[in-house]
Amino acid sequence: MRRKISIALSIIIIAANLGACASNAAAPADSKTTKASEESTSTSGSAPIKIAFSGPMTGDYAEYGQNFYAACEIAVDEINSNGGLLDGSPLELLQFDDKNSQEEVGAIAEMIASDDSISAVLGHFSSGVAMTAANTYLDAGIPLLSASASHPDYSGMGEYIFRNNVLISQEVETVLQICQNSGSKRVGVLVLKNDWGQGALQAMEAAYEQVKGKVDFEIVLQEEVMDGTEEFSANITKFMEKDCDTIFVLTMYATFAPFANQYRTLNPDIKMFSVGSAYSTELINLGGSAVEGVRMCAGFNPENPDPAAQKFVQQFNEKTGHDPDNMAVQTYENVNMVAQAIERAKSADRAAIKDALYDTDYDAITGHITFDEIGDAQKNLLVFEVSDGKFVELKDMNILPWNEFVASL
């Protein structure tokens, strides 16, 4: 049994908000997944197996939550069209809107955990929100699979906590190698002033300390911005005063795009690199020509010729009108891994699913997936550059395992 990490978090929720959460918790009545489950139930006569999805369906990060939920729907529809689980039980997907809010997710996690008919949880978006909810799920003994929680401490919270995405430490190590391979000399860092940003910054600082004075670049300035910032003139002035030729952007796309627009107006040649949090078609939609040449790491290429990958890309495009990002793909994989665990366990019991997840051996869209002893999937990263309004994989860029890179200097 792994050590459970206690997180001191204060959640203030008035009674009216509890009512609002309850009224918004269930999947919409016109949900295709819900209808498919009902049709399967009426045909098979078997009770559905329920899983919960919780993410930001509204609010500043709604684009992520909506993409994740679309990926869930695709997976559930496929499973049900192939006969469901455990000899005919349909899989039913319940939707919960946590708005990526640590203040709201506590009540939602309690609602999910206390419903004994729910077998597993998919979500949440940010590490802070996922970690707030995780203690409730641990107490109730219900598995949680995240496709996006990158904080190093997340999966170590307990044996019911899993993630199918890389740690932020691996992402920042990759971007530091991108800096080295791209001729960077003076690097500035723009980082969100929130829990995710501070975790990312700490990981970056730890990695940089291992290579400081050995790589061909130096980090000369760090600037923090609040989530939702739209005016960056003061930050850009400071970066320009430090003669930065590269900015390492540790934000989401909604912050990155206006920052890029404003910086490229003053310096069209500035290099900008980022992690998977900014890997979204919305970055290109909002940033336009200002994000041309931006380089970043992510775990999935929509141009992957694998038939299973192309089938999912087509289904996702039909549902949303755009390509999936790596986190949406990982969410799709998470549904399938839960389904496979249920089949291996021959049960929808929460503890049985948890045990079976550790035996995952899955040839997924993003590669072969197994979980280690603390519930982390073993993942690889790709490097992309925005070119002509698309993410283009830089297959020739040499990214080494971090220990090998450090030893090579």
Side-chain angles (χ1 to χ4, degrees), residues 372-383:
D372 66 15
E373 67 279 1
I374 63 167
D376 280 335
Q378 308 306 297
K379 309 287 289 186
N380 294 318
L381 283 171
L382 309 174
V383 178

Side-chain angles (χ1 to χ4, degrees), residues 260-339:
N261 271 307
Q262 292 169 43
Y263 210 129
R264 285 271 168 85
T265 299
L266 299 172
N267 181 0
D269 299 323
I270 190 70
K271 300 170 187 170
M272 287 180 278
F273 307 145
S274 191
V275 293
S277 60
Y279 180 75
S280 168
T281 54
E282 283 300 298
L283 175 69
I284 297 172
N285 292 339
L286 296 171
S289 61
V291 297
E292 284 287 308
V294 166
R295 293 179 173 181
M296 63 185 62
C297 56
F300 176 69
N301 184 356
E303 302 297 324
N304 182 346
D306 178 76
Q310 285 308 301
K311 178 183 177 183
F312 175 72
V313 169
Q314 180 180 351
Q315 291 173 312
F316 193 86
N317 261 288
E318 290 172 354
K319 185 175 283 288
T320 67
H322 58 80
D323 286 343
D325 62 18
N326 56 300
M327 292 181 284
V329 177
Q330 289 161 180
T331 302
Y332 170 84
E333 293 172 342
N334 285 354
V335 177
N336 282 294
M337 285 190 285
V338 169

